[in-house]
Amino acid sequence: TDGRGIFRVYSPEMGNKMRRYHYLLEELRLAISSNSFHMSFQPIVHVEDCAIDYFEALIRWQHPIEGLIPPSEFIPIAEESNLILELGDWILLESCRQMSAWHNAGMKKVKISVNVSGIQLKHRDIYNWVMDSLNKTGLPASSLMLEITESTLITASEDIIQQLDSCRKAGVSVAIDDFGTGFSSLSTLADLPIDVIKIDKLFITQANENPKYLKILNSISELGHQLGLKIVAEGVEQIDQFELVKNLGIRCVQGYLVSRPETSYNVGSKVLTGNVN
Ligand code: C2E
Ligand code: CA
Ligand code: CA
Ligand code: CA
């Protein structure tokens, strides 16, 4: 109570959080209209030879005063406000544009994987939305992957699942992201329109300490392979994690051990640079 017998549900800490929220929401609007974002790209590599399989596109927001604001802070705000729709249109187009440019520079056959939020799936006509960016940039459908979190996929409507299936029939791949955190039963995996399972980094971090996580990792790997899916372990930071994942038969890894997300890459003698504006 505040001393006058009035119960306050509004604590100073909540006030700070709300101020920060509204501040970032306004800044986000400005940043979208002035295009203050750029994409960074993190490779997913094969465990045998560390050859690049594909890149995940990850958004970066360089704020003039705050510096780099992490997506874990602003993506949820963009989702709550539906600003993710406009931002997400730019993310897809920019990611396809960059990959198409890299293809032309010689990095053939490498795919780009783009994170798509549940809000986008709900409000965008996903098939046409994807085809539009592919047509505008000349990127082949087979060079694009969509990453959708497990929790979004298992609650998706029948219509959304159909749209994703149409994308797959056109050659686009679909990955189930943060797998293991969304409580889908392993049997539902067979019915989802997916090509790739990305095992959440929680399991990789815990596997060496907690034998239960190791067992779960092992069974995800086995089941995934039996279903003919590609398995990716994310958040691989240490050699022993890399070895463990490799020994479980997981063929692809992503993590700081191999590379952080970057805006440019050396391919042979060429430096391939993302357009940072
Ligand atoms: P995510 O989709 O699970 O992306 C993987 C995150 O793990 C990225 O964080 C990446 O930088 C980070 N990461 C990669 N390797 C390691 C590692 O070895 N150790 C650790 N600790 N982290 C690693 P980032 O870029 O900060 O993005 C965080 C989340 O924000 C993403 O998680 C995704 O949910 C969201 N996000 C990022 N970019 C986009 C985007 O363009 N669109 C949408 N809708 N969401 C995005
Ligand atoms: Ca992702
Ligand atoms: Ca993930
Ligand atoms: Ca994650």
Side-chain angles (χ1 to χ4, degrees):
T1 70
D2 68 352
R4 290 171 298 170
I6 298 166
F7 184 73
R8 289 158 56 116
V9 287
Y10 188 80
S11 70
E13 198 202 326
M14 267 173 75
N16 288 339
K17 276 192 182 155
M18 281 170 72
R19 261 195 300 280
R20 175 83 179 159
Y21 179 93
H22 288 293
Y23 167 70
L24 285 180
L25 182 58
E26 271 324 298
E27 292 299 302
L28 206 49
R29 285 211 174 90
L30 284 174
I32 289 172
S33 57
S34 64
N35 193 14
S36 314
F37 302 94
H38 65 270
M39 299 308 296
S40 66
F41 303 91
Q42 189 179 27
I44 284 76
V45 305
H46 294 279
V47 286
E48 306 88 54
D49 54 4
C50 284
I52 297 174
D53 188 37
Y54 68 92
F55 284 101
E56 178 174 7
L58 295 158
I59 194 168
R60 295 293 175 259
W61 177 13
Q62 184 71 47
H63 187 277
I65 299 157
E66 306 274 326
L68 214 51
I69 301 176
S72 56
E73 188 171 15
F74 72 83
I75 291 288
I77 299 173
E79 288 178 335
E80 272 176 65
S81 59
N82 278 358
L83 287 173
I84 192 69
L85 294 174
E86 208 183 318
L87 189 56
D89 293 349
W90 178 82
I91 290 169
L92 179 67
L93 190 63
E94 176 62 14
S95 302
C96 291
R97 191 201 60 72
Q98 184 61 70
M99 198 66 242
S100 182
W102 282 354
H103 275 192
N104 293 336
M107 197 191 273
K108 295 277 183 265
K109 289 197 295 190
V110 177
K111 293 185 194 205
I112 188 78
S113 193
V114 178
N115 291 286
V116 180
S117 106
I119 308 290
Q120 294 173 276
L121 293 180
K122 209 165 156 187
H123 294 280
R124 288 283 181 260
D125 192 356
I126 288 300
Y127 178 79
N128 290 326
W129 178 73
V130 163
M131 292 307 140
D132 188 48
S133 280
L134 292 175
N135 290 335
K136 279 182 183 150
T137 58
L139 189 74
S142 59
S143 297
L144 178 66
M145 176 151 40
L146 307 176
E147 287 194 17
I148 298 159
T149 63
E150 180 184 28
S151 47
T152 297
L153 262 185
I154 58 178
T155 55
S157 68
E158 191 52 43
D159 177 55
I160 289 171
I161 298 294
Q162 296 267 313
Q163 294 247 1
L164 288 173
D165 218 26
S166 304
C167 291
R168 287 181 74 225
K169 290 198 175 99
V172 174
S173 312
V174 177
I176 185 165
D177 201 359
D178 298 349
F179 187 78
T181 64
F183 309 107
S184 62
S185 67
L186 290 179
S187 60
T188 58
L189 264 188
D191 300 322
L192 290 174
I194 56 168
D195 307 275
V196 175
I197 295 178
K198 295 191 77 176
I199 305 175
D200 194 76
K201 50 180 169 281
L202 171 75
F203 294 89
I204 285 71
T205 317
Q206 294 292 322
N208 276 321
E209 279 116 67
N210 188 336
K212 284 185 183 160
Y213 281 90
L214 183 61
K215 284 193 179 126
I216 296 171
L217 256 185
N218 197 19
S219 55
I220 295 173
S221 167
E222 255 171 40
L223 184 88
H225 287 127
Q226 284 186 15
L227 293 173
L229 300 169
K230 178 181 281 187
I231 318 288
V232 177
E234 59 173 35
V236 175
E237 293 181 354
Q238 288 150 13
I239 303 252
D240 57 346
Q241 294 171 336
F242 184 95
E243 291 301 326
L244 181 132
V245 156
K246 191 178 174 180
N247 291 336
L248 288 176
I250 293 170
R251 308 279 304 282
C252 295
V253 300
Q254 173 179 17
Y256 296 165
L257 178 71
V258 178
S259 171
R260 289 190 173 250
E262 306 281 1
T263 46
S264 70
Y265 280 90
N266 284 305
V267 177
S269 56
K270 287 188 193 121
V271 179
L272 302 181
T273 310
N275 261 10
V276 180
N277 34 34

